[in-house]
Amino acid sequence: MEEPATQDFVREWVKADTESKKFGGRVQTRFPPEPNGYLHIGHAKSIYLNFGVAEEFGGKCLLRFDDTNPETEDPAFVTAIQEDLSWLGVSSAEPARFASDYFPQLYAWAEDLVRKGLAYVDDQDAETISEQRGGFGQPGIESPFRGRPVEENLGLFRQMRDSAFADGAKVLRAKIDMQADNMWLRDPVLYRIRRTPHHRTDNQWVIYPTYDWAHGQSDAIEGVTHSICTLEFADHRALYDWLLSQIDLPGDRPQQNEFARLNVTHWVLSKRVLRALVEDGHVDGWDDPRMPTLRGLRRRGYPPSAIKAFVDRVGVAKSNSVVEVELLESFVRTELNRSSLRRMAVVKPLKLTITNWPEGQVELMEVVNNPEDPDAGTRQVPFSGELWIEQDDFRLEPPPKYYRLTPGREVRLRNAFFVTATDAVTDDDGNVVEVLATYDPETLGGSAPDGRKVKSTMHWVSAGHALDATVHQYSRLFTEPHPGADGTDPLSSVNPNARETNPAKVEPALAEVAPGQVVQFERLGYFAADLDSPMVFHRTVGLRDEWAKIQKRKKNQPK
Ligand code: ATP
Ligand code: MG
């Protein structure tokens, strides 16, 4: 058994149960995604919690697909969700389960409810049923079909199963209490008719269980002890308990508890909204690096270990909150600082010609791969008289406090020489197209023997050796920190300029980067090599610790 990551109310709850030998000391959890979309970082929280708790208490966690809505589900999502789980580094001791595997048992238990007089067939349409439910402080109205005799209900329910009725013509409802304070106990629907082929059961069933009927019963079938949901299901708990108490269970009766969902600023963690982003063309797909999906974060270069460290740090709470995205980025940065190789890339190239460099000469500079990791060794980077530097690193007429290159000023070219700009070539519009400079041969390696200092160090790439690359840089997907929080459509604050793409010049060593590998482009940030297209890079995070800045600002705020 492992030490729990942090003590939280879920772990306290499970611990108390193991100590009192409830369930014979057994612990079993599940992660129950619906295969109707790709997982996002919120799901990672649920995954690490469910799999983590099981592991810490010597129990097990199963992956169960909650596949009860054939209209929206797809086997491609089943495969993708399993891939995402293994990317996160969690694995289940047993193969994935499917709620659809339990359709026969769920149906048999529903017949039991009918036989006990605890469920009835209602002929009313969904809208009428919903209106009759009433509201808090408003009475519910009993269906005229509520008093149907058991035999008639049983016959009708079987006919529903046998495809005798049209979609929506009838439903099966639990018979609980139309005046209950808890709306979920006002005769909830357990089965509806949908003539939609299911990705696993095909046309075998035309009736499908609702979430409330499938979920708790599936938990019971699998032997789940602790069913950990998010807070929006808190009101369902009374129904979860009621339904489980009415059927003859094969074993223990599972219990439900709820924790607060993960929310992150400048993102929306809802499959519905993420699907809309894809369908409306705001992003290229579910795996677009701007997306908070696990596929998007993976393409962006986020290490799963940083996601784990982030959700551990956020912890498990009983009330909803929103976490700053900068905290996540700081975990990503910390991890990448340790692990990623340093490379040079110029994103907005400007030609720099060294006029006193011996014609045609190439010097190989020995450069450290990662100062944080001595084992990463060194590489040789070619230097010549024609280089690419960043456009931003040169100004013909420098603004105040501009310490980079400008005519007459000396700067350091990282790992190479000191250079002094002498002149610049401009085009007809006055744009600088080339900088002319001289170098000091005495400054090889980037320091002067006479001890003179320069105020800035710049990165560069030898023009004759540079490789062409495409570099995508990202800003926030939503301009608002809390998109949709004021009741507006979250899509109205999508940032249309969240991606900036530039043709870049990069050093030759980048030909060897592996798909998905993240490197630090010196001075620019961390960049992930695309998973599919060679020489395409996505900016993962910048170099500056924005989280530390936020913390400092908060500390200095008057209380
Ligand atoms: P969404 O609202 O994004 O569609 P969902 O809850 O409908 O999510 P499911 O596939 O049903 O998606 O989710 C599987 C599990 O993941 C559920 O137990 C759910 O509570 C949990 N989960 C979903 N979103 C979050 C989140 N933001 N934080 C923590 N857990 C989450
Ligand atoms: Mg759901």
Side-chain angles (χ1 to χ4, degrees):
M1 270 193 237
E2 269 183 34
E3 268 303 297
T6 42
Q7 272 313 327
D8 53 59
F9 78 94
V10 169
R11 288 172 166 95
E12 293 295 344
W13 172 57
V14 176
K15 188 164 167 239
D17 286 347
T18 54
E19 283 169 2
S20 70
K21 293 279 178 278
K22 193 168 181 174
F23 310 112
R26 206 168 58 80
V27 173
Q28 187 173 326
T29 57
R30 83 285 169 273
F31 173 64
E34 188 177 355
N36 62 352
Y38 294 94
L39 300 182
H40 52 63
I41 190 167
H43 291 113
K45 174 166 187 162
S46 178
I47 290 165
Y48 284 130
L49 178 62
N50 278 294
F51 281 88
V53 162
E55 189 178 344
E56 287 152 27
F57 290 93
K60 70 176 175 187
C61 178
L62 297 183
L63 167 64
R64 180 207 313 147
F65 290 99
D66 184 13
D67 55 346
T68 55
N69 289 305
E71 299 95 334
T72 56
E73 296 163 4
D74 195 302
F77 294 129
V78 170
T79 314
I81 288 170
Q82 286 175 306
E83 284 169 8
D84 287 349
L85 250 77
S86 53
W87 179 69
L88 285 179
V90 304
S91 60
S92 186
E94 293 171 34
R97 307 297 169 91
F98 293 84
S100 55
D101 289 344
Y102 312 141
F103 285 169
Q105 176 67 77
L106 294 173
Y107 176 82
W109 276 339
E111 277 205 359
D112 288 347
L113 287 185
V114 172
R115 267 189 290 270
K116 288 182 184 174
L118 297 172
Y120 61 98
V121 172
D122 195 335
D123 300 358
Q124 303 183 106
D125 59 34
E127 202 181 323
T128 310
I129 290 173
S130 159
E131 275 167 16
Q132 290 175 349
R133 215 158 73 124
F136 190 72
Q138 257 180 296
I141 298 167
E142 293 191 355
S143 162
F145 302 96
R146 199 173 197 262
R148 264 183 170 146
V150 166
E151 279 314 310
E152 189 183 332
N153 280 321
L154 204 52
L156 289 171
F157 186 41
R158 287 178 180 166
Q159 283 182 285
M160 278 170 65
R161 176 198 58 191
D162 296 339
S163 207
F165 308 115
D167 283 18
K170 291 187 169 31
V171 292
L172 184 76
R173 297 177 71 180
K175 192 169 177 177
I176 310 179
D177 178 1
M178 285 306 291
Q179 308 312 331
D181 284 341
N182 184 325
M183 293 303 129
W184 295 101
L185 296 178
R186 293 190 178 182
D187 292 9
V189 173
L190 304 183
Y191 273 96
R192 57 239 184 317
I193 305 172
R194 292 271 184 286
R195 256 180 210 70
T196 307
H198 185 282
H199 60 102
R200 300 189 83 241
T201 59
D202 198 17
N203 291 315
Q204 216 178 319
W205 294 88
V206 297
I207 56 169
Y208 290 97
T210 54
Y211 168 87
D212 287 302
W213 179 243
H215 202 83
Q217 300 14 269
S218 299
D219 283 347
I221 291 168
E222 291 171 358
V224 167
T225 56
H226 297 81
S227 185
I228 308 168
C229 305
T230 38
L231 282 178
E232 69 271 24
F233 293 103
D235 289 344
H236 296 240
R237 197 206 296 183
L239 176 57
Y240 180 98
D241 289 339
W242 189 91
L243 290 170
L244 285 170
S245 67
Q246 304 303 336
I247 55 179
D248 298 321
L249 293 179
D252 295 319
R253 187 193 313 169
Q255 32 172 18
Q256 177 185 310
N257 207 337
E258 311 85 19
F259 69 100
R261 301 169 78 86
L262 176 68
N263 296 300
V264 181
T265 55
H266 298 284
W267 269 334
V268 181
L269 301 183
S270 145
K271 276 185 282 191
R272 188 182 53 77
V273 173
L274 298 181
R275 185 177 302 111
L277 286 171
V278 174
E279 286 173 358
D280 298 353
H282 295 290
V283 293
D284 291 345
W286 288 89
D287 60 352
D288 187 298
R290 287 166 286 190
M291 292 279 270
T293 52
L294 297 179
R295 316 215 123 201
L297 298 178
R298 180 179 176 193
R299 193 172 289 275
R300 181 86 174 252
Y302 280 33
S305 56
I307 295 174
K308 168 90 167 55
F310 167 70
V311 301
D312 281 350
R313 162 70 181 275
V314 170
V316 182
K318 210 42 182 169
S319 62
N320 281 314
S321 65
V322 187
V323 184
E324 273 110 342
V325 67
E326 289 85 354
L327 176 63
L328 170 61
E329 291 171 341
S330 84
F331 278 104
V332 170
R333 188 179 298 110
T334 302
E335 171 73 39
L336 294 177
N337 180 43
R338 238 190 327 262
S339 61
S340 61
L341 300 176
R342 274 53 170 174
R343 294 290 182 258
M344 287 197 283
V346 175
V347 167
K348 290 178 191 159
L350 172 64
K351 179 69 81 61
L352 177 94
T353 303
I354 302 177
T355 50
N356 62 339
W357 185 261
E359 175 90 36
Q361 185 173 311
V362 175
E363 188 105 23
L364 291 176
M365 303 296 169
E366 177 99 358
V367 177
V368 170
N369 280 325
N370 181 359
E372 302 290 322
D373 176 9
D375 295 339
T378 61
R379 71 189 183 287
Q380 305 217 303
V381 183
F383 184 92
S384 68
E386 281 191 25
L387 307 171
W388 295 112
I389 61 168
E390 294 288 347
Q391 288 166 18
D392 283 348
D393 283 341
F394 178 81
R395 283 286 173 277
L396 203 50
E397 281 152 31
K401 297 200 175 160
Y402 185 87
Y403 299 118
R404 288 170 271 171
L405 203 55
T406 184
R409 173 152 329 135
E410 186 171 53
V411 300
R412 176 186 295 108
L413 292 180
R414 189 159 168 73
N415 302 308
F417 295 99
F418 283 9
V419 293
T420 305
T422 51
D423 206 351
V425 181
T426 51
D427 64 14
D428 294 344
D429 301 326
N431 300 313
V432 176
V433 292
E434 185 182 357
V435 178
L436 305 179
T438 55
Y439 85 111
D440 177 354
E442 299 297 309
T443 56
L444 175 63
S447 63
D450 63 4
R452 75 179 189 279
K453 299 272 183 259
V454 288
K455 280 205 164 146
S456 74
T457 299
M458 296 167 16
H459 60 276
W460 48 272
V461 176
S462 168
H465 304 86
L467 304 175
D468 288 307
T470 301
V471 168
H472 299 293
Q473 304 199 70
Y474 301 102
S475 46
R476 304 291 178 220
L477 179 55
F478 292 90
T479 51
E480 294 292 325
H482 307 283
D486 53 0
T488 56
D489 180 0
L491 295 183
S492 66
S493 68
V494 174
N495 178 3
N497 304 313
R499 177 173 63 193
E500 181 191 327
T501 301
N502 286 293
K505 299 287 184 186
V506 304
E507 68 165 90
L510 285 163
E512 267 127 65
V513 78
Q517 187 183 344
V518 182
V519 295
Q520 186 194 101
F521 288 167
E522 303 234 14
R523 295 176 68 225
L524 298 177
Y526 295 94
F527 288 75
D530 190 68
L531 294 167
D532 305 307
S533 309
M535 298 313 275
V536 172
F537 295 89
H538 306 280
R539 187 158 100 137
T540 313
V541 286
L543 295 174
R544 281 222 320 247
D545 190 354
E546 306 284 344
W547 174 247
K549 262 175 52 190
I550 289 177
Q551 294 308 95
K552 214 167 137 190
R553 201 165 58 223
K554 280 186 182 164
K555 231 173 91 187
N556 294 337
Q557 251 166 24
K559 295 249 155 59

